[in-house]
Amino acid sequence: MKKIGFLSFGHWSNHPAYNARTASDTLLQSIDLAIAAEEIGLDGAYFRVHHFAAQLASPFPLLSAIGAKTNNIEIGTGVIDMRYENPLYMVEDAGAADLISGGRLQLGISRGSPEQVIDGWRYFGYELAEGETDADMGRRKALEFLDKLKGVGFAQPNPYPMFPNPPGLLRLEPHAVGLRERIWWGAASNATAVWAAENGMCLQSSTLKYDESGKPFHVQQAEQIRLYKEAWEKAGHQREARVSVSRSIFALVNDQDRYYFGQEADRDDKIGMIEKDKRAIFGRSYAAEPDQLIKELGQDEAIQEADTLLLTIPNTLGVDYNVHLLSSILEHVAPALGWR
């Protein structure tokens, strides 16, 4: 059994073929899609966060709206770039969204990906500490965020407050019990996957990672997950680790599917430079008739290692078509692979 969710990058563009032409379209359709996904039995609605782009950027209003409109589906991100965040303000936003959803937030955070602008976090008012890299800054902010999520008081109260204070140091409010255990780290390397385990975060592994061995993507990703699980066990955490992988998977069950994805070009892994000094491997897409899809996915080692699968979706094609894509996986593929 696996939890299956969708992952939306939340694109929009004033293009005649798009159903999401404005930011408003994308936001409102994201809510509608999450509601529909819950109705068909999907387990999660996840959203990517990008700044300075015509894509979803500020996740908490959207996550809160979905939380208020749904009852059971997990709601998350994949991922929030911590370089852009004030960890304390983020604790308040995340706490509110989690309480609105009844404790269903599954928050993916990380350093983030290559940016749309040079050092975009500087425009948000942040600078590196002395001797720090931007990757260091992302991890430092992540650790501060995790610490403050514990709900332990740390701030000296004003002796003359506007409202009466409880005794002792004050914590951030609202406090969401259990949210600290539902934070995921998006890891592009084996080392950061181990670091995530050591710090008690769940693991998100996407459709790319640093090429650390030259092996096929799914093999490298499976090795990364095994290292994470070993580090989790060694750290002695008292709860079970969770791991998600992302995939572009399309079951071709009608002519529209074949038109959109029947000539899918990314059926092999790709090698590229995600940063000037970082060689990355990008995982293949899967697009085939259900029987063939089942055979191919059954050989994906990383999917077998993960407990959660996030299906990347073409959100610009609209809610109805994406519900069809997700339903096709649930109906024609998942049962044969033991995911349902």
Side-chain angles (χ1 to χ4, degrees):
M1 298 290 288
K2 292 192 187 300
K3 289 184 178 293
I4 304 174
F6 72 78
L7 174 62
S8 173
F9 278 54
H11 294 280
W12 70 83
S13 178
N14 189 22
H15 187 285
Y18 282 13
N19 283 302
R21 299 190 182 186
T22 67
S24 177
D25 288 342
T26 294
L27 288 163
L28 295 174
Q29 288 177 24
S30 294
I31 298 169
D32 290 343
L33 180 57
I35 295 169
E38 180 175 78
E39 290 174 350
I40 65 172
L42 213 69
D43 302 300
Y46 288 73
F47 301 90
R48 189 65 168 89
V49 178
H50 283 114
H51 300 286
F52 298 104
Q55 295 174 240
L56 295 171
S58 54
F60 294 108
L62 175 61
L63 297 174
S64 297
I66 292 172
K69 296 267 188 183
T70 56
N71 298 300
N72 301 305
I73 196 168
E74 293 183 340
I75 307 163
T77 52
V79 295
I80 297 174
D81 188 336
M82 292 303 296
R83 295 175 295 181
Y84 288 78
E85 296 298 322
N86 177 323
L88 273 64
Y89 198 87
M90 186 174 166
V91 167
E92 296 180 344
D93 276 349
D98 192 49
L99 292 171
I100 289 170
S101 71
R104 289 182 282 131
L105 202 61
Q106 303 285 340
L107 206 61
I109 65 174
S110 190
R111 171 198 172 187
S113 63
E115 303 168 89
Q116 294 299 108
V117 301
I118 298 171
D119 294 342
W121 36 270
R122 295 187 188 276
Y123 294 95
F124 281 56
Y126 301 115
E127 296 292 339
L128 301 177
E130 184 176 355
E132 189 177 51
T133 67
D134 68 321
D136 294 334
M137 178 174 68
R139 288 190 286 270
R140 169 174 57 81
K141 288 186 172 189
L143 292 176
E144 184 174 9
F145 176 63
L146 293 174
D147 180 64
K148 298 302 184 290
L149 279 175
K150 296 175 183 176
V152 176
F154 65 93
Q156 189 67 41
N158 184 351
Y160 306 104
M162 181 177 294
F163 307 105
N165 281 324
L169 300 177
L170 301 183
R171 68 183 184 185
L172 294 168
E173 300 289 354
H175 174 61
V177 176
L179 179 56
R180 168 62 181 83
E181 298 182 355
R182 287 178 273 114
I183 305 302
W184 304 60
W185 182 261
S189 69
N190 293 347
T192 50
V194 169
W195 178 83
E198 293 169 345
N199 286 282
M201 287 183 279
C202 303
L203 176 66
Q204 287 186 335
S205 194
S206 71
T207 51
L208 70 86
K209 70 178 297 293
Y210 294 145
D211 184 9
E212 298 181 83
S213 68
K215 297 177 183 177
F217 171 79
H218 74 101
V219 176
Q220 291 199 48
Q221 191 175 50
E223 291 173 347
Q224 179 195 47
I225 295 170
R226 293 183 195 112
L227 288 171
Y228 168 83
K229 291 178 178 177
E230 290 171 6
W232 183 276
E233 183 175 356
K234 184 177 179 180
H237 301 301
Q238 297 304 302
R239 65 187 191 279
E240 189 174 351
R242 286 190 63 183
V243 177
S244 73
V245 295
S246 304
R247 290 292 185 273
S248 297
I249 303 173
F250 306 105
L252 309 181
V253 300
N254 62 30
D255 289 341
Q256 189 176 25
D257 301 333
R258 297 180 189 97
Y259 173 78
Y260 280 134
F261 304 109
Q263 304 301 316
E264 181 65 49
D266 296 329
R267 298 196 181 187
D268 296 301
D269 296 341
K270 298 288 188 295
I271 299 294
M273 302 298 291
I274 192 171
E275 299 171 10
K276 63 181 179 181
D277 60 343
K278 295 290 186 181
R279 174 185 166 100
I281 184 167
F282 299 79
R284 55 161 295 186
S285 296
Y286 292 91
E289 305 291 327
D291 289 348
Q292 179 63 26
L293 204 54
I294 291 165
K295 292 179 183 178
E296 294 178 3
L297 291 169
Q299 299 171 7
D300 191 309
E301 292 185 21
I303 292 179
Q304 295 175 32
E305 289 286 344
D307 61 82
T308 301
L309 175 63
L310 300 183
L311 303 171
T312 59
I313 59 165
N315 75 281
T316 55
L317 295 181
V319 174
D320 290 344
Y321 185 65
N322 277 288
V323 170
H324 159 73
L325 289 176
L326 296 169
S327 297
S328 296
I329 298 298
L330 293 180
E331 180 180 354
H332 300 290
V333 178
L337 289 165
W339 299 350
R340 279 293 186 269

